[in-house]
Amino acid sequence: MKKAQFIGVSLVLGLGVLFSSCESLKKMAKNHAQVQYQVNPSPLEMHGDKVKVDISGTVPPKYFWNKAIVVFQPTLVYEGGQQELKPIILRGVKTVGEGTMIDNKMGGSFSYSDEVAYVPAMAQSRLVINPVGYPEAKAEGMEVTNAAQASEVAKNLGLGERTIAEGMMVTSSRIDQESSRMAVVPHKYEKETVIPHTAYIYYLVDTYNLNWRLELNKTPEAKAGIRILDSLFGTGMEMKSVDIKAWASPEGEESRNQNLSDNRAKTAVRYFNSAYSKAVNKLARQMKVKASTIKQDIEPTVESMGEDWDKFLADLRASNIADKNTIINVISSHTDRDAREQEIRNMTVIYKEIEDEILPPLRRAQITVNFLEPKKTDEEIARLSLVAPDSLKLEELLYATTLTEDKDNQLKIFMSATEVYPEDFRGFTNAAALLYAKQQYDQAQQLLETANGLQPNNGAVLNNLGAIALAKGDFENARAHFENALKAGSPEAAFNMGLMNIKDGEYAKAVSALGSEKCIYNLALAQLLNGQVDQAKNTLNCMQTKTPDAYYLLAVCAARQDAKADVISNLTQAIQGKASLKAQAQGDIEFLDLREDADFQALVK
């Protein structure tokens, strides 16, 4: 009898506890509005393709039941779906386990942070909470880690759904993905190509007369130098300059050697004038014109170099004379020029090689003529590049693109370069840059892949591949190409990484990377996102031609500065230029404070 009575009492007590538990949780649900939630930022913002959610919660005294467990798990709700964020556990002081403890008597607070990947539908979203509470005793032996599991335990006892943030600021997504800086590989064409040719005339010791029978003048090298010089004169090729220098060997008296050097230079000048005149007269007869009409009036630059000590010592060091180091030391030990000259004369008696091999080549004149390679005129190159590209050298063909501002003609010339010179990567690379400007991304990519095969790991090619990937929305490949282009030294890639900095939410870095160009849309976007609203406005206003998106961004700047008239003015021009911006403005959180404004409604409805 006593046992039955005990069971009855236990049942009553258990029902009482259960009833008390339900009443306590219902009371928490009823008073849920007393709990304060602060979301930062509010509205939420998308940065770097992520949405970070920071929530601070304040629980008032006498609210939280000491035996309760509450699972707090926010949810982003948007059209077509929702994204649950991570859960956290709040618990009363008479419970055990992990979680943030909240005291019934004193109340308490908690902080929450999570980050989720952004999807475009989240632009119109709500951050919703409906904490789920249950008595700790009801979950004995169960693992409760999220709101769904807590609902099973508590029989769906939510404390009350509340929207704690509405909308999302997605201005950072307004990158102009089609404005990467493209690399164009420069041509190597020289408008003036100098072809230098040097010939030598050798002289007998103590003489300066021209003697072709001298052994040194009969060597194959010396004869070839003179013969080639004469033949170049005979082509009529224009000369840029003529430089004549003459030396003497250092064994004689200095003054005599200087005179020998002077006279040898004069002999070389006479030879030049004679040989050049003879060649011009012959060419004139062939052309049946007067020699004066084709002869170039050019004055040689003449230098009498005196004794050639440097070459003497250099040739001596390079010789096979056994005692050459001793000879050099003895000669170099004399600081007096006359003593050194005498020492050389003494050595020539002992060492016949000095007299026969070292000194004779020093008695010379050097004639250097800098010829100018014949070139087609710019007009000829420009014409042939369009009508007969195969008649031009590669560098001429690439240079031709600089002679026209017509982008279609430039593209035609670069494409001709890919056909006439398919082994060179530059035609492919530069044609792709022009196709990018035409938004013909697939064809541009094909050309760049060919260029990359011809010239692997080239900075310009990799940069342009990155630009194509970015324009197509392939951010992963864009980043990889830009990073590799940077390693290859591409300056364009350094600029383009600024676009990736915006994508990553690194706005100060983006401002720095893009700042080399002062009046571009993406720089203004980076400045705005970096909190530099006035600088962003200045950047947009200095653009030569404002796009509809630029006007839209100016409207955002105005909204952040509470300048309603400027918002309406700039939005009007943006929508007139791009009708799709109307719907964007209608739901854009940037204009939240104007949603009830009649002028704004009239513009976006």
Side-chain angles (χ1 to χ4, degrees):
M1 185 68 182
K2 288 183 179 180
K3 185 176 180 181
Q5 184 178 10
F6 176 76
I7 294 172
V9 171
S10 298
L11 180 60
V12 171
L13 288 173
L15 290 172
V17 170
L18 181 60
F19 178 77
S20 174
S21 300
C22 292
E23 288 302 309
S24 297
L25 288 169
K26 285 180 179 179
K27 183 179 179 182
M28 288 178 66
K30 179 180 179 182
N31 296 322
H32 187 208
Q34 297 176 10
V35 180
Q36 297 178 7
Y37 300 100
Q38 184 172 353
V39 181
N40 183 40
S42 183
L44 297 174
E45 297 179 4
M46 184 276 282
H47 298 288
D49 276 344
K50 302 287 185 181
V51 180
K52 188 175 182 181
V53 179
D54 288 316
I55 304 171
S56 297
T58 303
V59 181
K62 307 298 183 182
Y63 172 79
F64 205 98
W65 180 39
N66 283 337
K67 295 183 179 181
I69 300 289
V70 172
V71 178
F72 178 87
Q73 187 169 12
T75 304
L76 267 175
V77 180
Y78 48 89
E79 185 176 350
Q82 63 180 37
Q83 174 67 57
E84 288 187 338
L85 282 68
K86 70 180 183 182
I88 65 168
I89 305 296
L90 308 177
R91 64 185 183 86
V93 295
K94 292 187 179 182
T95 64
V96 295
E98 295 182 357
T100 301
M101 185 179 293
I102 307 294
D103 183 79
N104 175 264
K105 183 176 180 181
M106 303 296 295
S109 63
F110 66 93
S111 60
Y112 173 92
S113 183
D114 195 13
E115 187 176 73
V116 296
Y118 172 78
V119 296
M122 289 180 182
Q124 306 295 324
S125 60
R126 296 181 299 122
L127 182 62
V128 175
I129 59 167
N130 186 10
V132 179
Y134 60 91
E136 182 187 38
K138 290 197 67 175
E140 186 175 353
M142 301 173 63
E143 184 178 2
V144 179
T145 59
N146 56 48
Q149 292 170 344
S151 293
E152 288 293 321
V153 174
K155 303 301 182 186
N156 297 311
L157 182 57
L159 300 185
E161 183 177 297
R162 289 171 62 179
T163 296
I164 58 174
E166 190 165 359
M168 188 174 297
M169 195 171 289
V170 295
T171 301
S172 61
S173 68
R174 304 193 68 82
I175 304 172
D176 181 358
Q177 296 173 191
E178 300 177 357
S179 63
S180 299
R181 182 182 286 177
M182 298 295 284
V184 175
V185 188
H187 62 80
K188 298 176 183 177
Y189 178 77
E190 298 175 327
K191 294 206 64 157
E192 181 180 90
T193 301
V194 176
I195 305 174
H197 180 72
T198 298
Y200 292 95
I201 300 173
Y202 297 96
Y203 301 88
L204 193 61
V205 61
D206 285 337
T207 69
Y208 54 83
N209 61 300
L210 193 58
N211 182 359
W212 295 118
R213 290 175 296 178
L214 188 68
E215 286 303 316
L216 280 174
N217 285 332
K218 293 194 295 181
T219 62
E221 296 82 0
K223 290 171 68 175
I226 293 294
R227 184 177 64 254
I228 293 171
L229 184 61
D230 288 345
S231 66
L232 288 171
F233 286 151
T235 64
M237 196 183 304
E238 185 181 356
M239 292 176 284
K240 181 179 178 67
S241 62
V242 179
D243 302 310
I244 295 177
K245 297 179 180 179
W247 293 265
S249 55
E251 78 277 19
E253 295 180 359
E254 181 182 4
S255 59
R256 179 171 178 78
N257 282 336
Q258 187 61 53
N259 286 332
L260 279 171
S261 175
D262 292 344
N263 287 320
R264 286 168 180 172
K266 292 176 183 177
T267 299
V269 170
R270 286 194 293 272
Y271 167 74
F272 164 77
N273 289 331
S274 173
Y276 178 53
S277 295
K278 182 178 178 181
V280 168
N281 290 333
K282 181 179 178 181
L283 182 61
R285 289 193 296 272
Q286 293 172 350
M287 297 174 63
K288 297 181 180 180
V289 297
K290 291 183 178 181
S292 59
T293 62
I294 60 172
K295 187 175 183 180
Q296 186 178 345
D297 185 14
I298 190 165
E299 190 70 27
T301 299
V302 182
E303 291 182 83
S304 177
M305 308 299 291
E307 298 173 341
D308 197 346
W309 280 100
D310 292 339
K311 183 170 172 57
F312 170 74
L313 292 174
D315 289 352
L316 189 55
R317 288 190 185 94
S319 72
N320 294 320
I321 299 174
D323 297 328
K324 61 184 178 183
N325 291 330
T326 302
I327 298 170
I328 291 171
N329 290 335
V330 171
I331 293 172
S332 300
S333 66
H334 294 283
T335 57
D336 180 73
R337 183 182 288 270
D338 291 338
R340 278 189 293 172
E341 291 170 347
Q342 182 58 52
E343 199 63 61
I344 293 175
R345 287 193 291 272
N346 295 338
M347 292 294 179
T348 59
V349 176
I350 302 171
Y351 298 98
K352 192 65 174 170
E353 296 99 322
I354 295 178
E355 176 65 31
D356 294 342
E357 299 175 12
I358 303 298
L359 294 176
L362 306 181
R363 305 159 188 151
R364 72 198 188 283
Q366 173 185 292
I367 303 172
T368 300
V369 181
N370 294 306
F371 293 94
L372 291 176
E373 180 182 299
K375 301 278 185 177
K376 297 180 180 67
T377 65
D378 284 357
E379 291 74 14
E380 288 177 308
I381 292 174
R383 180 180 61 82
L384 291 171
S385 68
L386 294 174
V387 299
D390 56 349
S391 67
L392 295 176
K393 298 175 183 176
L394 173 61
E395 300 306 332
E396 290 175 325
L397 194 54
L398 296 176
Y399 169 65
T401 61
T402 68
L403 302 177
T404 177
E405 294 183 0
D406 188 312
K407 298 300 181 184
D408 289 334
N409 281 342
Q410 289 177 358
L411 178 58
K412 180 179 178 180
I413 296 167
F414 281 133
M415 292 303 294
S416 293
T418 68
E419 296 167 3
V420 181
Y421 300 99
E423 73 286 352
D424 191 275
F425 80 105
R426 289 173 294 172
F428 297 92
T429 305
N430 297 350
L434 292 174
L435 289 169
Y436 170 89
K438 292 174 172 285
Q439 298 182 334
Q440 296 178 22
Y441 301 131
D442 289 339
Q443 187 179 353
Q445 184 169 345
Q446 291 175 4
L447 292 174
L448 288 169
E449 286 170 353
T450 301
N452 197 37
L454 293 169
Q455 192 81 7
N457 301 317
N458 177 270
V461 177
L462 293 171
N463 173 78
N464 292 0
L465 280 168
I468 298 296
L470 182 59
K472 289 183 171 184
D474 184 354
F475 296 101
E476 183 177 350
N477 275 324
R479 185 190 311 282
H481 286 312
F482 288 147
E483 287 176 349
N484 288 329
L486 265 177
K487 293 175 185 175
S490 166
E492 293 83 8
F495 175 88
N496 292 335
M497 279 302 293
L499 306 182
M500 305 312 299
N501 292 145
I502 297 177
K503 190 71 180 169
D504 294 338
E506 297 177 329
Y507 305 128
K509 284 185 179 180
V511 171
S512 177
L514 299 171
S516 59
E517 291 191 20
K518 303 302 179 186
C519 302
I520 58 170
Y521 172 87
N522 282 325
L523 172 60
L525 177 61
Q527 290 168 329
L528 175 64
L529 296 170
N530 199 42
Q532 300 168 270
V533 181
D534 285 333
Q535 291 92 325
K537 286 168 58 179
N538 291 337
T539 298
L540 291 165
N541 283 324
C542 77
M543 291 175 65
Q544 277 191 328
T545 304
K546 292 185 185 66
T547 62
D549 288 299
Y551 280 115
Y552 190 99
L553 204 59
L554 276 169
V556 172
C557 291
R560 293 196 180 188
Q561 294 183 327
D562 296 323
K564 174 197 163 183
D566 290 340
V567 172
I568 299 301
S569 172
N570 285 300
L571 265 185
T572 299
Q573 295 193 72
I575 293 169
Q576 286 175 349
K578 190 175 178 181
S580 61
L581 292 176
K582 177 186 286 192
Q584 293 182 34
Q586 187 176 14
D588 197 332
I589 290 296
E590 294 279 8
F591 308 120
L592 180 63
D593 292 342
L594 290 172
R595 285 187 177 174
E596 303 304 319
D597 182 88
D599 293 331
F600 180 80
Q601 288 182 346
L603 182 61
V604 300
K605 293 297 183 183

Short mmCIF file of all heavy atoms in Angstrom, two decimals, residues 229-270:
data_model
loop_
_atom_site.label_atom_id
_atom_site.label_comp_id
_atom_site.label_asym_id
_atom_site.label_seq_id
_atom_site.Cartn_x
_atom_site.Cartn_y
_atom_site.Cartn_z
N LEU A 229 84.35 47.47 -96.43
CA LEU A 229 84.07 48.90 -96.33
C LEU A 229 83.82 49.49 -97.70
O LEU A 229 82.84 50.25 -97.91
CB LEU A 229 85.24 49.61 -95.64
CG LEU A 229 85.07 51.09 -95.36
CD1 LEU A 229 83.88 51.35 -94.43
CD2 LEU A 229 86.34 51.68 -94.76
N ASP A 230 84.66 49.16 -98.68
CA ASP A 230 84.47 49.67 -100.03
C ASP A 230 83.15 49.21 -100.63
O ASP A 230 82.45 49.98 -101.32
CB ASP A 230 85.63 49.21 -100.94
CG ASP A 230 86.94 49.92 -100.61
OD1 ASP A 230 86.88 50.96 -99.91
OD2 ASP A 230 88.00 49.44 -101.03
N SER A 231 82.79 47.95 -100.36
CA SER A 231 81.53 47.43 -100.92
C SER A 231 80.32 48.12 -100.29
O SER A 231 79.31 48.37 -100.96
CB SER A 231 81.44 45.91 -100.74
OG SER A 231 81.34 45.58 -99.36
N LEU A 232 80.40 48.44 -98.99
CA LEU A 232 79.31 49.15 -98.33
C LEU A 232 79.17 50.56 -98.88
O LEU A 232 78.06 51.07 -99.05
CB LEU A 232 79.53 49.18 -96.82
CG LEU A 232 79.34 47.84 -96.10
CD1 LEU A 232 79.79 47.93 -94.64
CD2 LEU A 232 77.87 47.40 -96.15
N PHE A 233 80.30 51.19 -99.17
CA PHE A 233 80.24 52.51 -99.83
C PHE A 233 79.48 52.39 -101.14
O PHE A 233 78.67 53.26 -101.50
CB PHE A 233 81.65 53.03 -100.12
CG PHE A 233 82.40 53.51 -98.92
CD1 PHE A 233 83.80 53.43 -98.88
CD2 PHE A 233 81.74 54.05 -97.84
CE1 PHE A 233 84.50 53.89 -97.78
CE2 PHE A 233 82.44 54.51 -96.73
CZ PHE A 233 83.82 54.41 -96.69
N GLY A 234 79.71 51.28 -101.84
CA GLY A 234 79.11 51.10 -103.16
C GLY A 234 77.61 50.84 -103.13
O GLY A 234 76.95 50.91 -104.18
N THR A 235 77.04 50.55 -101.97
CA THR A 235 75.59 50.33 -101.89
C THR A 235 74.81 51.65 -101.83
O THR A 235 73.59 51.65 -102.02
CB THR A 235 75.23 49.53 -100.62
OG1 THR A 235 75.58 50.30 -99.46
CG2 THR A 235 75.97 48.20 -100.60
N GLY A 236 75.51 52.73 -101.54
CA GLY A 236 74.81 54.01 -101.38
C GLY A 236 74.12 54.13 -100.04
O GLY A 236 73.32 55.05 -99.81
N MET A 237 74.44 53.22 -99.14
CA MET A 237 73.81 53.24 -97.82
C MET A 237 74.20 54.52 -97.08
O MET A 237 75.34 54.94 -97.09
CB MET A 237 74.25 52.01 -97.02
CG MET A 237 73.41 51.71 -95.80
SD MET A 237 74.06 50.27 -94.86
CE MET A 237 74.07 49.01 -96.13
N GLU A 238 73.20 55.11 -96.45
CA GLU A 238 73.45 56.35 -95.73
C GLU A 238 74.35 56.10 -94.52
O GLU A 238 74.26 55.07 -93.86
CB GLU A 238 72.12 56.95 -95.25
CG GLU A 238 72.28 58.31 -94.58
CD GLU A 238 70.96 58.87 -94.10
OE1 GLU A 238 69.91 58.24 -94.36
OE2 GLU A 238 70.97 59.94 -93.44
N MET A 239 75.25 57.08 -94.27
CA MET A 239 76.13 56.99 -93.12
C MET A 239 75.63 57.91 -92.01
O MET A 239 75.25 59.06 -92.28
CB MET A 239 77.56 57.38 -93.51
CG MET A 239 78.23 56.40 -94.44
SD MET A 239 79.87 56.97 -94.96
CE MET A 239 79.43 58.24 -96.17
N LYS A 240 75.65 57.41 -90.79
CA LYS A 240 75.28 58.24 -89.64
C LYS A 240 76.48 59.02 -89.14
O LYS A 240 76.37 60.20 -88.80
CB LYS A 240 74.73 57.36 -88.51
CG LYS A 240 74.29 58.15 -87.27
CD LYS A 240 73.73 57.20 -86.21
CE LYS A 240 73.34 57.96 -84.95
NZ LYS A 240 72.20 58.88 -85.18
N SER A 241 77.64 58.35 -89.10
CA SER A 241 78.85 59.02 -88.65
C SER A 241 80.07 58.23 -89.10
O SER A 241 79.98 57.05 -89.43
CB SER A 241 78.86 59.16 -87.12
OG SER A 241 78.85 57.88 -86.51
N VAL A 242 81.22 58.92 -89.13
CA VAL A 242 82.49 58.30 -89.46
C VAL A 242 83.49 58.71 -88.38
O VAL A 242 83.66 59.90 -88.10
CB VAL A 242 83.01 58.74 -90.85
CG1 VAL A 242 84.36 58.08 -91.14
CG2 VAL A 242 82.00 58.39 -91.94
N ASP A 243 84.12 57.72 -87.77
CA ASP A 243 85.08 57.98 -86.70
C ASP A 243 86.44 57.42 -87.10
O ASP A 243 86.55 56.22 -87.41
CB ASP A 243 84.63 57.33 -85.39
CG ASP A 243 83.26 57.83 -84.94
OD1 ASP A 243 83.06 59.05 -84.91
OD2 ASP A 243 82.39 56.98 -84.63
N ILE A 244 87.44 58.27 -87.07
CA ILE A 244 88.79 57.85 -87.45
C ILE A 244 89.73 58.13 -86.28
O ILE A 244 89.77 59.25 -85.75
CB ILE A 244 89.27 58.57 -88.72
CG1 ILE A 244 88.39 58.14 -89.91
CG2 ILE A 244 90.74 58.29 -89.00
CD1 ILE A 244 88.71 58.85 -91.21
N LYS A 245 90.46 57.10 -85.89
CA LYS A 245 91.45 57.23 -84.81
C LYS A 245 92.78 56.66 -85.30
O LYS A 245 92.81 55.72 -86.10
CB LYS A 245 91.00 56.46 -83.56
CG LYS A 245 89.72 56.99 -82.95
CD LYS A 245 89.32 56.15 -81.73
CE LYS A 245 88.04 56.66 -81.12
NZ LYS A 245 87.63 55.85 -79.94
N ALA A 246 93.88 57.21 -84.78
CA ALA A 246 95.20 56.72 -85.18
C ALA A 246 96.13 56.70 -83.97
O ALA A 246 96.01 57.52 -83.05
CB ALA A 246 95.79 57.59 -86.29
N TRP A 247 97.07 55.72 -83.99
CA TRP A 247 97.99 55.53 -82.86
C TRP A 247 99.42 55.36 -83.38
O TRP A 247 99.66 55.09 -84.57
CB TRP A 247 97.65 54.27 -82.09
CG TRP A 247 96.35 54.30 -81.35
CD1 TRP A 247 96.17 54.63 -80.05
CD2 TRP A 247 95.06 53.93 -81.85
NE1 TRP A 247 94.85 54.50 -79.69
CE2 TRP A 247 94.14 54.07 -80.79
CE3 TRP A 247 94.60 53.50 -83.10
CZ2 TRP A 247 92.80 53.80 -80.93
CZ3 TRP A 247 93.26 53.23 -83.24
CH2 TRP A 247 92.35 53.38 -82.17
N ALA A 248 100.32 55.44 -82.42
CA ALA A 248 101.73 55.11 -82.67
C ALA A 248 102.16 54.11 -81.61
O ALA A 248 101.57 54.03 -80.53
CB ALA A 248 102.60 56.35 -82.61
N SER A 249 103.22 53.34 -81.93
CA SER A 249 103.78 52.43 -80.92
C SER A 249 104.61 53.26 -79.94
O SER A 249 105.14 54.32 -80.28
CB SER A 249 104.62 51.34 -81.59
OG SER A 249 105.63 51.93 -82.42
N PRO A 250 104.76 52.78 -78.68
CA PRO A 250 105.30 53.65 -77.63
C PRO A 250 106.81 53.61 -77.45
O PRO A 250 107.31 54.09 -76.43
CB PRO A 250 104.60 53.11 -76.38
CG PRO A 250 104.41 51.67 -76.65
CD PRO A 250 104.16 51.55 -78.12
N GLU A 251 107.58 53.08 -78.44
CA GLU A 251 109.02 52.98 -78.18
C GLU A 251 109.79 54.23 -78.60
O GLU A 251 110.97 54.39 -78.25
CB GLU A 251 109.59 51.73 -78.88
CG GLU A 251 109.83 51.87 -80.38
CD GLU A 251 108.59 51.65 -81.22
OE1 GLU A 251 107.45 51.74 -80.66
OE2 GLU A 251 108.72 51.37 -82.42
N GLY A 252 109.19 55.13 -79.37
CA GLY A 252 109.89 56.34 -79.81
C GLY A 252 109.66 57.51 -78.89
O GLY A 252 109.01 57.41 -77.86
N GLU A 253 110.19 58.67 -79.29
CA GLU A 253 109.97 59.88 -78.50
C GLU A 253 108.51 60.27 -78.57
O GLU A 253 107.85 60.14 -79.61
CB GLU A 253 110.85 61.02 -79.02
CG GLU A 253 112.34 60.78 -78.85
CD GLU A 253 113.16 61.93 -79.39
OE1 GLU A 253 112.55 62.91 -79.91
OE2 GLU A 253 114.40 61.87 -79.30
N GLU A 254 108.00 60.82 -77.47
CA GLU A 254 106.57 61.12 -77.39
C GLU A 254 106.12 62.12 -78.44
O GLU A 254 105.09 61.94 -79.11
CB GLU A 254 106.25 61.65 -75.99
CG GLU A 254 104.76 61.96 -75.83
CD GLU A 254 104.43 62.52 -74.46
OE1 GLU A 254 105.36 62.75 -73.66
OE2 GLU A 254 103.23 62.75 -74.21
N SER A 255 106.90 63.20 -78.61
CA SER A 255 106.48 64.24 -79.58
C SER A 255 106.46 63.69 -80.99
O SER A 255 105.56 63.99 -81.78
CB SER A 255 107.42 65.45 -79.48
OG SER A 255 108.76 65.06 -79.76
N ARG A 256 107.47 62.85 -81.31
CA ARG A 256 107.51 62.27 -82.66
C ARG A 256 106.34 61.32 -82.86
O ARG A 256 105.70 61.31 -83.91
CB ARG A 256 108.84 61.54 -82.86
CG ARG A 256 108.94 60.88 -84.24
CD ARG A 256 110.34 60.36 -84.49
NE ARG A 256 110.40 59.69 -85.78
CZ ARG A 256 110.46 60.28 -86.95
NH1 ARG A 256 110.46 61.61 -87.01
NH2 ARG A 256 110.54 59.60 -88.08
N ASN A 257 106.07 60.53 -81.81
CA ASN A 257 104.95 59.60 -81.91
C ASN A 257 103.61 60.33 -82.05
O ASN A 257 102.70 59.86 -82.75
CB ASN A 257 104.91 58.69 -80.69
CG ASN A 257 105.95 57.59 -80.77
OD1 ASN A 257 106.39 57.21 -81.86
ND2 ASN A 257 106.36 57.07 -79.61
N GLN A 258 103.47 61.47 -81.40
CA GLN A 258 102.23 62.23 -81.53
C GLN A 258 102.07 62.74 -82.95
O GLN A 258 100.98 62.71 -83.53
CB GLN A 258 102.22 63.40 -80.53
CG GLN A 258 100.90 64.15 -80.48
CD GLN A 258 99.74 63.26 -80.05
OE1 GLN A 258 99.80 62.61 -79.01
NE2 GLN A 258 98.70 63.20 -80.87
N ASN A 259 103.19 63.20 -83.55
CA ASN A 259 103.13 63.66 -84.95
C ASN A 259 102.79 62.51 -85.89
O ASN A 259 102.02 62.67 -86.84
CB ASN A 259 104.47 64.28 -85.35
CG ASN A 259 104.67 65.65 -84.71
OD1 ASN A 259 103.69 66.35 -84.42
ND2 ASN A 259 105.93 66.02 -84.48
N LEU A 260 103.40 61.34 -85.61
CA LEU A 260 103.08 60.17 -86.43
C LEU A 260 101.58 59.84 -86.34
O LEU A 260 100.93 59.56 -87.35
CB LEU A 260 103.89 58.97 -85.96
CG LEU A 260 105.33 58.87 -86.46
CD1 LEU A 260 106.06 57.75 -85.73
CD2 LEU A 260 105.37 58.61 -87.96
N SER A 261 101.06 59.91 -85.10
CA SER A 261 99.64 59.63 -84.90
C SER A 261 98.79 60.63 -85.66
O SER A 261 97.79 60.26 -86.32
CB SER A 261 99.33 59.67 -83.40
OG SER A 261 97.95 59.53 -83.16
N ASP A 262 99.15 61.92 -85.60
CA ASP A 262 98.39 62.95 -86.32
C ASP A 262 98.38 62.68 -87.82
O ASP A 262 97.32 62.73 -88.47
CB ASP A 262 99.02 64.34 -86.07
CG ASP A 262 98.87 64.79 -84.63
OD1 ASP A 262 98.04 64.21 -83.91
OD2 ASP A 262 99.60 65.72 -84.23
N ASN A 263 99.55 62.39 -88.36
CA ASN A 263 99.67 62.22 -89.81
C ASN A 263 99.01 60.92 -90.28
O ASN A 263 98.46 60.85 -91.38
CB ASN A 263 101.13 62.25 -90.22
CG ASN A 263 101.70 63.67 -90.15
OD1 ASN A 263 101.01 64.63 -90.51
ND2 ASN A 263 102.93 63.80 -89.66
N ARG A 264 99.08 59.89 -89.45
CA ARG A 264 98.41 58.64 -89.82
C ARG A 264 96.89 58.85 -89.88
O ARG A 264 96.21 58.27 -90.72
CB ARG A 264 98.77 57.53 -88.83
CG ARG A 264 100.19 57.02 -89.02
CD ARG A 264 100.67 56.13 -87.89
NE ARG A 264 102.03 55.68 -88.12
CZ ARG A 264 102.78 55.02 -87.24
NH1 ARG A 264 102.28 54.73 -86.04
NH2 ARG A 264 104.03 54.65 -87.56
N ALA A 265 96.37 59.66 -88.95
CA ALA A 265 94.95 59.97 -88.99
C ALA A 265 94.59 60.71 -90.27
O ALA A 265 93.57 60.44 -90.91
CB ALA A 265 94.57 60.80 -87.77
N LYS A 266 95.44 61.66 -90.67
CA LYS A 266 95.18 62.42 -91.91
C LYS A 266 95.22 61.49 -93.13
O LYS A 266 94.42 61.63 -94.06
CB LYS A 266 96.21 63.53 -92.05
CG LYS A 266 96.07 64.63 -91.02
CD LYS A 266 97.18 65.65 -91.15
CE LYS A 266 97.07 66.72 -90.05
NZ LYS A 266 98.19 67.69 -90.10
N THR A 267 96.17 60.55 -93.11
CA THR A 267 96.24 59.58 -94.21
C THR A 267 94.95 58.77 -94.29
O THR A 267 94.41 58.52 -95.39
CB THR A 267 97.43 58.63 -94.00
OG1 THR A 267 98.64 59.38 -93.99
CG2 THR A 267 97.51 57.59 -95.11
N ALA A 268 94.43 58.36 -93.14
CA ALA A 268 93.18 57.57 -93.11
C ALA A 268 92.01 58.40 -93.61
O ALA A 268 91.13 57.89 -94.30
CB ALA A 268 92.92 57.07 -91.69
N VAL A 269 91.99 59.70 -93.28
CA VAL A 269 90.91 60.57 -93.76
C VAL A 269 90.98 60.67 -95.28
O VAL A 269 89.94 60.59 -95.97
CB VAL A 269 91.02 61.97 -93.11
CG1 VAL A 269 90.05 62.94 -93.79
CG2 VAL A 269 90.72 61.88 -91.62
N ARG A 270 92.19 60.82 -95.80
CA ARG A 270 92.33 60.91 -97.26
C ARG A 270 91.88 59.61 -97.92
O ARG A 270 91.21 59.65 -98.97
CB ARG A 270 93.78 61.23 -97.63
CG ARG A 270 94.19 62.65 -97.35
CD ARG A 270 95.50 63.01 -98.05
NE ARG A 270 96.63 62.25 -97.50
CZ ARG A 270 97.36 62.64 -96.47
NH1 ARG A 270 97.09 63.79 -95.85
NH2 ARG A 270 98.37 61.90 -96.04
#
